Amino acid sequence: MGEFDLIARYFTRPTPRAVLGVGDDCALLQPAPGTQMAISCDMLVQGRHFFADVDPAALGHKALAVNLSDLAACGATPLAFTLALALPLADDAWLAPFSRGLLALADAHGCELVGGDTTQGPLNICITVFGEVPVVHGRSQALLRSGARAGDDVYVSGTLGDARLALDALRGTRALPATVLAEARQRLEQPTPRVALGQALRGVASAAIDVSDGLLGDLRHILKASGVGATIDTSIAINLIASCTHKDWATGLISLNNQLEYVLAGGDDYELAFTAPASAREAVQAAARQAHTPVTRIGRIEPEAGLRLIDGQGQALPPHSFASFDHFA
Ligand code: ADP
Ligand code: MG
């Protein structure tokens, strides 16, 4: 199978929304009137972001999911994406499930594959997504990192920490009951981008980010961009690790401090962390219901810079090193 057969067989689809898809030198997109384009790019490298033997269908899903998660964080509606792919060899047994996993998620979000590049080389997947955000009275409705204000509440969607728990188990540094691993592994390998929630939070949230490197590290990006600080209630946050909640096994196997570490600094969660004024509490819950995505209020934005952690009694926690992921740290 040659390069162009491969593209035709696995990566060429009808593109009703795009003006022009795969096959020419450029794709053509037409943003709807009154919208601006949101663009994001994420690369997945074998050995760094995934294991060589990972299920190709799950990998296809995740490669697009991490990009859709960035659109979600901006409140953008997915429109299209491009796929730059380096492959060691043109193997149908890999390409078929990979493109199936990728395109199933794309179809679920009406996000059209409109172009890309294909080359021989060590497996590397780079996707660029394009989304739309409304502009109302000349103002972009995009959710940015810079909009948090003192007094705002801090929220996070869904659950946190399970992806990292699965990663530790797969690396062999932690033993998990098989059923727990299966559940946690699903979170690691097939994350759900919170696209509907991001859109529902437009005009409600004051700032947002998607949690890819760990909650605290990603929250710090909001704090820095907004010039504020925050206090997080760890007695609420600790309940966000789904695989350890109300399960007797976890108590013996994973210390509370470790559970908290997974929640606060696990990474690969692809949930949304966001802020909203206290006056918007009902609107936030309405957005969560509309998006069928639970959200939990875990803290508050304050004028003093820095991120503080408290326990259930409001006592400051001793400084921990809940370090978030950094490729070059
Ligand atoms: P060019 O030489 O102009 O860069 P290519 O020969 O690389 O174009 O690609 C031919 C067409 O196939 C282009 O429309 C390109 O966008 C598309 N394409 C190439 N690789 C992929 C891929 N992995 N997925 C989707 N479209 C692709
Ligand atoms: Mg090319």
Side-chain angles (χ1 to χ4, degrees):
M1 173 173 45
E3 177 188 334
F4 298 102
D5 298 330
L6 184 162
I7 296 166
R9 192 176 306 172
Y10 294 111
F11 301 119
T12 305
R13 317 275 309 286
T15 52
R17 296 177 73 196
V19 177
L20 184 64
V22 169
D24 214 305
D25 293 302
C26 291
L28 297 174
L29 300 177
Q30 180 70 59
T35 68
Q36 59 187 194
M37 213 165 250
I39 302 166
S40 183
C41 177
D42 253 309
M43 179 159 64
L44 295 189
V45 177
Q46 180 174 313
R48 182 90 324 235
H49 300 98
F50 58 91
F51 298 111
D53 63 350
V54 73
D55 169 18
L59 185 59
H61 173 103
K62 183 163 179 176
L64 183 59
V66 303
N67 280 279
L68 291 175
S69 179
D70 285 317
L71 288 186
C74 286
T77 306
L79 184 59
F81 71 107
T82 60
L83 168 69
L85 193 59
L87 286 171
L89 68 168
D91 174 11
D92 284 304
W94 190 90
L95 278 160
F98 174 81
S99 70
R100 197 175 358 97
L102 176 83
L103 296 173
L105 184 66
D107 289 347
H109 290 279
C111 191
E112 297 177 346
L113 177 55
V114 295
D117 200 20
T118 307
T119 147
Q120 202 270 331
L123 185 55
N124 187 318
I125 305 155
C126 184
I127 287 179
T128 301
V129 278
F130 303 85
E132 282 174 343
V133 185
V135 178
V136 178
H137 302 308
R139 276 197 60 189
S140 171
Q141 300 297 294
L143 303 175
L144 303 181
R145 298 178 179 185
S146 50
R149 298 291 173 260
D152 285 359
D153 296 318
V154 178
Y155 296 85
V156 67
S157 68
T159 61
L160 294 171
D162 298 285
R164 180 55 193 268
L165 182 66
L167 183 64
D168 282 3
L170 294 174
R171 280 177 172 160
T173 58
R174 187 175 284 288
L176 284 186
T179 52
V180 177
L181 174 58
E183 195 182 308
R185 187 173 185 162
Q186 176 74 14
R187 289 301 310 267
L188 175 68
E189 294 183 348
Q190 287 187 276
T192 304
R194 301 302 190 184
V195 175
L197 180 64
Q199 290 173 56
L201 287 172
R202 287 197 305 242
V204 176
S206 49
I209 191 167
D210 67 317
V211 180
S212 53
D213 296 331
L215 175 65
L216 295 189
D218 287 322
L219 256 183
R220 280 195 185 94
H221 294 307
I222 286 186
L223 303 183
K224 187 151 182 250
S226 302
V228 292
T231 293
I232 301 300
D233 185 337
T234 59
S235 70
I236 300 173
I238 194 167
N239 295 309
L240 292 172
I241 179 160
S243 55
C244 297
T245 313
H246 311 303
K247 285 189 187 145
D248 301 338
W249 69 269
T251 336
L253 222 50
I254 307 182
S255 71
L256 286 177
N257 199 55
N258 278 167
Q259 292 184 31
L260 195 55
E261 225 169 277
Y262 282 123
V263 168
L264 298 181
D268 251 358
D269 300 297
Y270 302 103
E271 295 292 351
L272 297 185
F274 61 96
T275 61
S279 60
R281 281 183 190 171
E282 275 181 28
V284 167
Q285 292 307 327
R289 278 193 302 276
Q290 189 191 325
H292 304 290
T293 308
V295 304
T296 307
R297 183 156 52 87
I298 56 167
R300 174 167 285 233
I301 298 292
E302 294 156 344
E304 316 84 66
L307 191 48
R308 291 160 287 277
L309 302 177
I310 54 169
D311 64 17
Q313 281 71 51
Q315 300 295 309
L317 255 67
H320 278 97
S321 57
F322 294 112
S324 68
F325 189 77
D326 179 336
H327 280 280
F328 296 103

